[in-house]
């Protein structure tokens, strides 16, 4: 009797993916796009090439330089970028130079370090020494950093878009012998650059909540609360201005996407639609293994359909929160272990698919360098380059963006395959969950704190906001 009563419910659950797939197909077919020549899209190989390209483009700029990132750090890497920007302005005073960083992140010191005025102190120091010319704005996406940050990415220099999930400091720019690996793309297309620049002008420069940080008097966050609320409401419905270009035989369809909030989040919706539409293979890159529930569900559906899934994540020692055991333990150092436990549970649940080769999980590690890659490659004709970490925080709290590349002519396939092959050079494929380090081998301080989190179920809360 119970089986008969539950039959309609089971039938609805089985039919739901088909309804979702139809809705996803309709969403993707309605997306506008720029027709960008495939030879105008370049994949840069490493952070050194990214830094060199960035500095060269800054030096050659004639009209505009717009940079948006989580932060521009007060260290050698960040100062090198600021030096280049002020030098470009001195050479060409008609140059428009705007930098947008997270409001909260810019005004605090590093986690675990002494309290300070943060990177904003460097911004003001440069403005006092070199005068006007470089406008640095803080964008307060939420009232507090814990509940969401500016995670938008992109550098627009004249007609070029440099897109990476990286921020700007020593390790992201490979300045001091170590690097934090990300993905790096260069797209030369005036209309795409105009659209991304136009978004920054409409939603940031013209917002009462977005204020200059490199000026003497910076308002308090509390005084901006009403303006921040208005900014949030504005961003909920914001979109890039994108046409419906017709593709030529040598073109790739490029759509910039915005994502903010739990509902009506276009970037999230498109990512799920793309995954549901996968036919043969999905490659998913994420630095922190903490997948949002909708993504986990779609991956399960794809595995049941027989799709091949490849997931690359950083080894816990390649996580930017990892603290080597000889160093004093801090609570933030628990995160890499929490992410590894998430990965262990996921691998244990999919042992069969891992054994058959249908599911392939790779751990990336290269010495004491770190891993910060994000994005997806689907079949041979779809790629998403993004700063989205594929975690619950990115899915609901942070302001995110990305570039969707649809390539029906497979014009970029060789470039993406070369990128994927290069990444695997420093990655090891897990055979099963037992290949991960046992929790019994974790440092004593880590084991104690993990037990406390598990006992109080606070680990679930941490997974939702980190």
């Amino acid at each position: 009797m119970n089986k008969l009563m539950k039959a309609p419910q089971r039938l609805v659950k089985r039919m739901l993916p088909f309804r979702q797939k139809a809705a996803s197909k309709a969403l993707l077919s309605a997306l506008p796009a720029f027709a960008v020549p495939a030879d105008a899209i370049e994949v840069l190989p490493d952070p050194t090439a990214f830094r060199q390209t960035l500095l060269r483009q800054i030096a050659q700029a004639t009209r505009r330089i717009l940079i948006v990132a989580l932060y521009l750090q007060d260290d050698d890497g960040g100062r090198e970028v600021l030096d280049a920007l002020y030098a470009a302005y001195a050479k060409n005073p008609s140059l428009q130079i705007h930098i947008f960083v997270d409001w909260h992140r810019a005004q605090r010191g590093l986690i675990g370090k002494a309290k300070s005025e943060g990177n904003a102190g460097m911004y003001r120091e440069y403005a006092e020494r070199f005068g006007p010319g470089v406008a640095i704005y803080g964008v307060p996406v939420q009232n507090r950093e814990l509940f969401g940050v500016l995670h938008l990415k992109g550098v627009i220099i004249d007609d070029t878009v440099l897109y990476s999930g990286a921020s700007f400091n020593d390790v992201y720019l490979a300045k001091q012998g170590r690097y934090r690996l990300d993905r790096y793309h260069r797209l030369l297309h005036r209309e795409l650059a105009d659209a991304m620049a136009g978004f920054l002008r409409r939603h940031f420069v013209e917002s009462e909540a977005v204020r200059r940080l490199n000026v003497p008097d910076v308002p308090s966050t509390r005084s901006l609360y009403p303006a921040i609320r208005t900014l949030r409401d504005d961003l909920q419905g914001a979109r890039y201005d994108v046409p419906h270009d017709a593709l030529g035989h040598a073109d790739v369809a490029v759509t910039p996407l915005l994502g903010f909030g739990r509902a009506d989040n276009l970037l999230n919706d498109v990512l799920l639609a793309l995954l549901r539409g996968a036919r043969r293979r999905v490659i998913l890159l994420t630095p922190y293994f903490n997948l949002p529930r909708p993504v986990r569900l779609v991956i399960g559906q794809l595995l049941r359909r027989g799709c091949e899934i490849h997931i690359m994540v950083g080894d816990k020692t390649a996580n930017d929160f990892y603290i080597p055991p000889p160093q004093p333990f801090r609570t933030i150092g628990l995160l890499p272990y929490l992410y590894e436990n998430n990965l262990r549970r996921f691998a244990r649940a999919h042992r069969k698919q891992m054994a058959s080769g249908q599911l392939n999980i790779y751990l990336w590690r290269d010495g004491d360098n770190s891993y910060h890659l994000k994005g997806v490659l689907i079949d041979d004709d779809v790629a998403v380059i993004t700063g989205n970490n594929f975690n619950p925080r990115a899915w609901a709290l942070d302001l995110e963006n990305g570039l969707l590349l649809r390539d029906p002519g497979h014009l970029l396939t060789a470039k993406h395959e070369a990128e994927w092959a290069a990444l695997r050079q420093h990655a090891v494929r897990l055979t099963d969950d037992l290949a991960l380090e046992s929790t019994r081998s974790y440092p004593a301080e880590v084991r104690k704190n993990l037990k406390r989190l598990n006992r109080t179920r606070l680990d679930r809360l941490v997974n939702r906001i980190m």
Side-chain angles (χ1 to χ4, degrees), residues 197-219:
F199 175 89
L200 298 176
R201 182 186 66 254
R202 292 192 308 274
H203 299 285
F204 290 172
V205 176
E206 297 175 4
S207 169
E208 285 295 316
V210 178
R211 299 299 184 94
R212 290 276 298 273
L213 290 167
N214 57 342
V215 293
D217 298 315
V218 177

Side-chain angles (χ1 to χ4, degrees), residues 64 66 116 146 160 383:
R64 64 185 175 192
L66 307 173
S116 75
L146 178 65
T160 296

Side-chain angles (χ1 to χ4, degrees), residues 274-275 277-283 305 307-308 376-383 410 413 416-417:
L274 292 168
L275 290 171
R279 303 180 303 276
R280 184 180 59 85
R281 183 185 73 167
V282 170
I283 297 171
R305 269 175 30 205
C307 195
E308 191 177 288
V376 291
L377 300 170
I378 298 176
D379 298 326
D380 296 319
D381 55 0
V382 173
H410 298 177
T413 300
H416 293 315
E417 289 298 327

Side-chain angles (χ1 to χ4, degrees), residues 341 343-352 354 432-433:
N341 281 339
L343 183 61
R344 180 181 290 106
R345 286 191 291 270
F346 181 82
R348 186 182 300 134
H350 295 95
R351 277 183 179 175
K352 182 178 178 181
M354 292 178 69
D432 55 31
D433 59 290

Side-chain angles (χ1 to χ4, degrees), residues 4 14 52 66 85 92 176 193 195 208 220 242 245 250 288 296 316 337 366 369-370 389 428-429 435 445:
L4 288 174
R14 292 177 68 109
Q52 292 170 346
L66 307 173
L85 292 169
N92 178 8
Q176 302 292 342
E208 285 295 316
S220 69
V242 185
D245 284 353
Y288 317 120
R296 294 200 311 271
K316 68 174 175 293
Y337 298 93
D366 181 21
N369 301 298
S370 51
N389 286 318
V428 174
R429 180 184 177 274
E445 194 74 19

Side-chain angles (χ1 to χ4, degrees), residues 45-58:
D46 53 44
T48 299
F50 175 64
R51 184 184 81 243
Q52 292 170 346
T53 301
L54 172 68
L55 296 176
R56 183 175 64 251
Q57 297 267 178
I58 289 173

